[in-house]
Amino acid sequence: MMGIAGQGYNVHANGIRQHLIHHPGPGPQMLLIPGITSPAVTWGFVAERLAERFDVHVLDVRGRGLSEAGDLDYGLDALADDAAALVTACGLDRPVLLGHSMGARIAIRAERRAPGSFGGLILVDPPVSGPGRRVYPSAWPWYGDSIRLARRGCTAEEMRAFCPTWTDEQVALRAEWLHTCHYGAIKTAYDGFHTDDVHQDMPHLDLPVRLVVAGGAPVIQPGDLAEIQTLIPHLETRIVEGAGHMIPWDDLPGFLDAVMDFNA
């Protein structure tokens, strides 16, 4: 089934057990941080293709997948410190840090808190909500209701109501793994979309940065892009026209075209 390739492993970093899936490739090294409700295994079909160029390590963000969960700090700073700690724990050398959605916000904050840890950032459709800004376009019930459904036990067809455009394999994988997403971790991250200000971190990103925008989603609008380009003058931008927020799910070739030539 999609997403099961790669070798899983555990490390102790930033005080907790962290689980990753390694998709070996020729290099350079890449640490991939998925979005808010995406365990590492769900990115397997993407990582397999990225591994044609990069040596890819996909993280189960704390409170998701097989990483430690429970009574933990799920705030953005803790998640950012995880990313920086994993560089040492996994034996990486200034890897490219690719983050999708929440993962992109983690990447921004991680480089601000631990400058020099990464060789470059690929920020894939990060939420631009925050204090005094418009709300994130996906409402909380989409997340909360689907997690409760998964925790009860659900079929792929039941999960399809939340992901109507996904393939059968993608929906089945989400139905199988979404229950591993700790409800409190997801709620903290979602609330953080509106209370954490990552824009303040952007002018401090003194390394190669590429922004990948979902052209068919409302997450990053033209005014947002203009602001980010002002805050990160050396920013590279790629727009995947027509793709929704889960870009590789909608247009995998377009996503790969937007990231595979990145040079740190």
Side-chain angles (χ1 to χ4, degrees), residues 13 18-19 34 69 78 110 114 123 141 149 156 169 178 210 217 245 253 258 264:
Q18 311 252 8
H19 178 262
L123 309 175
L149 178 67
E169 284 186 304
L178 186 60
R210 178 174 294 181
H245 180 59

PDB file of all heavy atoms in Angstrom, residues 13 18-19 34 69 78 110 114 123 141 149 156 169 178 210 217 245 253 258 264:
ATOM      1  N   ALA A  13      15.358  12.840  21.183  1.00  0.00           N
ATOM      2  CA  ALA A  13      15.756  14.202  20.850  1.00  0.00           C
ATOM      3  C   ALA A  13      14.820  15.184  21.533  1.00  0.00           C
ATOM      4  O   ALA A  13      13.601  14.981  21.578  1.00  0.00           O
ATOM      5  CB  ALA A  13      15.734  14.427  19.337  1.00  0.00           C
ATOM      6  N   GLN A  18      11.360  10.320  19.258  1.00  0.00           N
ATOM      7  CA  GLN A  18      10.922  10.826  17.959  1.00  0.00           C
ATOM      8  C   GLN A  18      11.082   9.709  16.935  1.00  0.00           C
ATOM      9  O   GLN A  18      12.115   9.047  16.873  1.00  0.00           O
ATOM     10  CB  GLN A  18      11.790  12.018  17.550  1.00  0.00           C
ATOM     11  CG  GLN A  18      11.959  13.070  18.636  1.00  0.00           C
ATOM     12  CD  GLN A  18      11.213  14.351  18.371  1.00  0.00           C
ATOM     13  OE1 GLN A  18      10.416  14.456  17.441  1.00  0.00           O
ATOM     14  NE2 GLN A  18      11.461  15.355  19.191  1.00  0.00           N
ATOM     15  N   HIS A  19      10.060   9.525  16.122  1.00  0.00           N
ATOM     16  CA  HIS A  19      10.070   8.488  15.091  1.00  0.00           C
ATOM     17  C   HIS A  19      10.138   9.133  13.714  1.00  0.00           C
ATOM     18  O   HIS A  19       9.443  10.117  13.438  1.00  0.00           O
ATOM     19  CB  HIS A  19       8.816   7.618  15.181  1.00  0.00           C
ATOM     20  CG  HIS A  19       8.750   6.558  14.124  1.00  0.00           C
ATOM     21  ND1 HIS A  19       8.017   6.710  12.966  1.00  0.00           N
ATOM     22  CD2 HIS A  19       9.333   5.327  14.037  1.00  0.00           C
ATOM     23  CE1 HIS A  19       8.134   5.615  12.231  1.00  0.00           C
ATOM     24  NE2 HIS A  19       8.928   4.762  12.854  1.00  0.00           N
ATOM     25  N   PRO A  34       5.837  17.031   7.992  1.00  0.00           N
ATOM     26  CA  PRO A  34       4.495  17.118   7.411  1.00  0.00           C
ATOM     27  C   PRO A  34       3.604  18.126   8.142  1.00  0.00           C
ATOM     28  O   PRO A  34       4.000  18.767   9.115  1.00  0.00           O
ATOM     29  CB  PRO A  34       3.959  15.692   7.563  1.00  0.00           C
ATOM     30  CG  PRO A  34       5.159  14.830   7.807  1.00  0.00           C
ATOM     31  CD  PRO A  34       6.113  15.720   8.566  1.00  0.00           C
ATOM     32  N   ALA A  69       3.644  10.755  22.476  1.00  0.00           N
ATOM     33  CA  ALA A  69       2.433  11.555  22.623  1.00  0.00           C
ATOM     34  C   ALA A  69       2.082  11.606  24.102  1.00  0.00           C
ATOM     35  O   ALA A  69       2.819  11.123  24.949  1.00  0.00           O
ATOM     36  CB  ALA A  69       1.289  10.972  21.802  1.00  0.00           C
ATOM     37  N   ALA A  78       8.291  24.322  20.912  1.00  0.00           N
ATOM     38  CA  ALA A  78       8.719  22.947  21.203  1.00  0.00           C
ATOM     39  C   ALA A  78       8.902  22.155  19.917  1.00  0.00           C
ATOM     40  O   ALA A  78       9.869  21.390  19.778  1.00  0.00           O
ATOM     41  CB  ALA A  78       7.704  22.262  22.112  1.00  0.00           C
ATOM     42  N   ALA A 110      12.104  27.119  13.566  1.00  0.00           N
ATOM     43  CA  ALA A 110      13.304  26.343  13.905  1.00  0.00           C
ATOM     44  C   ALA A 110      14.567  27.073  13.471  1.00  0.00           C
ATOM     45  O   ALA A 110      15.556  27.130  14.220  1.00  0.00           O
ATOM     46  CB  ALA A 110      13.236  24.964  13.254  1.00  0.00           C
ATOM     47  N   ALA A 114      17.369  28.277  16.025  1.00  0.00           N
ATOM     48  CA  ALA A 114      18.648  27.564  15.939  1.00  0.00           C
ATOM     49  C   ALA A 114      19.306  27.876  14.599  1.00  0.00           C
ATOM     50  O   ALA A 114      19.448  26.986  13.742  1.00  0.00           O
ATOM     51  CB  ALA A 114      18.444  26.061  16.117  1.00  0.00           C
ATOM     52  N   LEU A 123       9.426  25.888   1.994  1.00  0.00           N
ATOM     53  CA  LEU A 123       8.197  26.164   2.740  1.00  0.00           C
ATOM     54  C   LEU A 123       7.009  25.930   1.819  1.00  0.00           C
ATOM     55  O   LEU A 123       6.778  26.685   0.877  1.00  0.00           O
ATOM     56  CB  LEU A 123       8.202  27.614   3.242  1.00  0.00           C
ATOM     57  CG  LEU A 123       9.465  28.056   3.989  1.00  0.00           C
ATOM     58  CD1 LEU A 123       9.387  29.551   4.321  1.00  0.00           C
ATOM     59  CD2 LEU A 123       9.665  27.230   5.257  1.00  0.00           C
ATOM     60  N   PRO A 141     -13.749  22.208  12.863  1.00  0.00           N
ATOM     61  CA  PRO A 141     -14.511  20.944  12.847  1.00  0.00           C
ATOM     62  C   PRO A 141     -14.001  19.937  11.819  1.00  0.00           C
ATOM     63  O   PRO A 141     -14.123  18.723  12.048  1.00  0.00           O
ATOM     64  CB  PRO A 141     -15.936  21.404  12.528  1.00  0.00           C
ATOM     65  CG  PRO A 141     -16.005  22.780  13.116  1.00  0.00           C
ATOM     66  CD  PRO A 141     -14.653  23.378  12.839  1.00  0.00           C
ATOM     67  N   LEU A 149     -13.767  10.567  14.462  1.00  0.00           N
ATOM     68  CA  LEU A 149     -14.215   9.441  13.645  1.00  0.00           C
ATOM     69  C   LEU A 149     -13.139   8.363  13.582  1.00  0.00           C
ATOM     70  O   LEU A 149     -13.420   7.159  13.750  1.00  0.00           O
ATOM     71  CB  LEU A 149     -14.556   9.930  12.234  1.00  0.00           C
ATOM     72  CG  LEU A 149     -15.007   8.869  11.231  1.00  0.00           C
ATOM     73  CD1 LEU A 149     -16.356   8.290  11.632  1.00  0.00           C
ATOM     74  CD2 LEU A 149     -15.079   9.478   9.826  1.00  0.00           C
ATOM     75  N   ALA A 156     -12.500   3.468   5.066  1.00  0.00           N
ATOM     76  CA  ALA A 156     -12.009   4.453   4.116  1.00  0.00           C
ATOM     77  C   ALA A 156     -13.163   5.251   3.522  1.00  0.00           C
ATOM     78  O   ALA A 156     -13.041   6.466   3.296  1.00  0.00           O
ATOM     79  CB  ALA A 156     -11.210   3.767   3.009  1.00  0.00           C
ATOM     80  N   GLU A 169      -6.254   4.761  -2.188  1.00  0.00           N
ATOM     81  CA  GLU A 169      -5.121   4.446  -1.324  1.00  0.00           C
ATOM     82  C   GLU A 169      -4.849   5.561  -0.314  1.00  0.00           C
ATOM     83  O   GLU A 169      -4.563   5.297   0.861  1.00  0.00           O
ATOM     84  CB  GLU A 169      -3.870   4.196  -2.161  1.00  0.00           C
ATOM     85  CG  GLU A 169      -3.849   2.854  -2.862  1.00  0.00           C
ATOM     86  CD  GLU A 169      -2.516   2.615  -3.546  1.00  0.00           C
ATOM     87  OE1 GLU A 169      -2.108   3.455  -4.365  1.00  0.00           O
ATOM     88  OE2 GLU A 169      -1.882   1.595  -3.231  1.00  0.00           O
ATOM     89  N   LEU A 178      -4.981   8.219  11.072  1.00  0.00           N
ATOM     90  CA  LEU A 178      -5.390   9.485  11.699  1.00  0.00           C
ATOM     91  C   LEU A 178      -5.630   9.334  13.199  1.00  0.00           C
ATOM     92  O   LEU A 178      -5.436  10.289  13.963  1.00  0.00           O
ATOM     93  CB  LEU A 178      -6.640  10.035  11.012  1.00  0.00           C
ATOM     94  CG  LEU A 178      -7.097  11.425  11.467  1.00  0.00           C
ATOM     95  CD1 LEU A 178      -6.018  12.475  11.234  1.00  0.00           C
ATOM     96  CD2 LEU A 178      -8.395  11.823  10.753  1.00  0.00           C
ATOM     97  N   ARG A 210      12.872  28.700  -0.342  1.00  0.00           N
ATOM     98  CA  ARG A 210      11.920  28.622  -1.444  1.00  0.00           C
ATOM     99  C   ARG A 210      10.514  28.450  -0.888  1.00  0.00           C
ATOM    100  O   ARG A 210      10.283  27.608  -0.015  1.00  0.00           O
ATOM    101  CB  ARG A 210      12.252  27.464  -2.381  1.00  0.00           C
ATOM    102  CG  ARG A 210      11.237  27.317  -3.534  1.00  0.00           C
ATOM    103  CD  ARG A 210      11.660  26.249  -4.527  1.00  0.00           C
ATOM    104  NE  ARG A 210      12.882  26.625  -5.226  1.00  0.00           N
ATOM    105  CZ  ARG A 210      13.449  25.866  -6.172  1.00  0.00           C
ATOM    106  NH1 ARG A 210      12.898  24.700  -6.498  1.00  0.00           N
ATOM    107  NH2 ARG A 210      14.560  26.266  -6.766  1.00  0.00           N
ATOM    108  N   ALA A 217      -5.522  26.967  -3.933  1.00  0.00           N
ATOM    109  CA  ALA A 217      -5.981  27.028  -2.540  1.00  0.00           C
ATOM    110  C   ALA A 217      -5.976  28.478  -2.061  1.00  0.00           C
ATOM    111  O   ALA A 217      -5.224  29.318  -2.577  1.00  0.00           O
ATOM    112  CB  ALA A 217      -5.082  26.176  -1.647  1.00  0.00           C
ATOM    113  N   HIS A 245      -4.326  22.716  -1.240  1.00  0.00           N
ATOM    114  CA  HIS A 245      -3.346  22.868  -0.168  1.00  0.00           C
ATOM    115  C   HIS A 245      -2.469  21.627  -0.003  1.00  0.00           C
ATOM    116  O   HIS A 245      -1.266  21.743   0.254  1.00  0.00           O
ATOM    117  CB  HIS A 245      -4.082  23.180   1.138  1.00  0.00           C
ATOM    118  CG  HIS A 245      -3.193  23.369   2.313  1.00  0.00           C
ATOM    119  ND1 HIS A 245      -2.208  24.334   2.373  1.00  0.00           N
ATOM    120  CD2 HIS A 245      -3.133  22.712   3.510  1.00  0.00           C
ATOM    121  CE1 HIS A 245      -1.586  24.279   3.537  1.00  0.00           C
ATOM    122  NE2 HIS A 245      -2.121  23.297   4.234  1.00  0.00           N
ATOM    123  N   PRO A 253       3.486  15.534  -9.915  1.00  0.00           N
ATOM    124  CA  PRO A 253       4.522  16.033 -10.822  1.00  0.00           C
ATOM    125  C   PRO A 253       4.771  17.530 -10.660  1.00  0.00           C
ATOM    126  O   PRO A 253       5.921  17.986 -10.692  1.00  0.00           O
ATOM    127  CB  PRO A 253       3.967  15.705 -12.213  1.00  0.00           C
ATOM    128  CG  PRO A 253       3.049  14.545 -11.986  1.00  0.00           C
ATOM    129  CD  PRO A 253       2.425  14.814 -10.652  1.00  0.00           C
ATOM    130  N   ALA A 258       8.487  21.723  -8.518  1.00  0.00           N
ATOM    131  CA  ALA A 258       8.678  22.915  -7.695  1.00  0.00           C
ATOM    132  C   ALA A 258       9.773  22.763  -6.648  1.00  0.00           C
ATOM    133  O   ALA A 258      10.236  23.766  -6.105  1.00  0.00           O
ATOM    134  CB  ALA A 258       7.356  23.285  -7.006  1.00  0.00           C
ATOM    135  N   ALA A 264      20.711  24.213  -1.828  1.00  0.00           N
ATOM    136  CA  ALA A 264      21.012  24.901  -0.580  1.00  0.00           C
ATOM    137  C   ALA A 264      22.411  25.489  -0.644  1.00  0.00           C
ATOM    138  O   ALA A 264      23.262  25.027  -1.399  1.00  0.00           O
ATOM    139  CB  ALA A 264      20.898  23.921   0.590  1.00  0.00           C
TER     140      ALA A 264
END
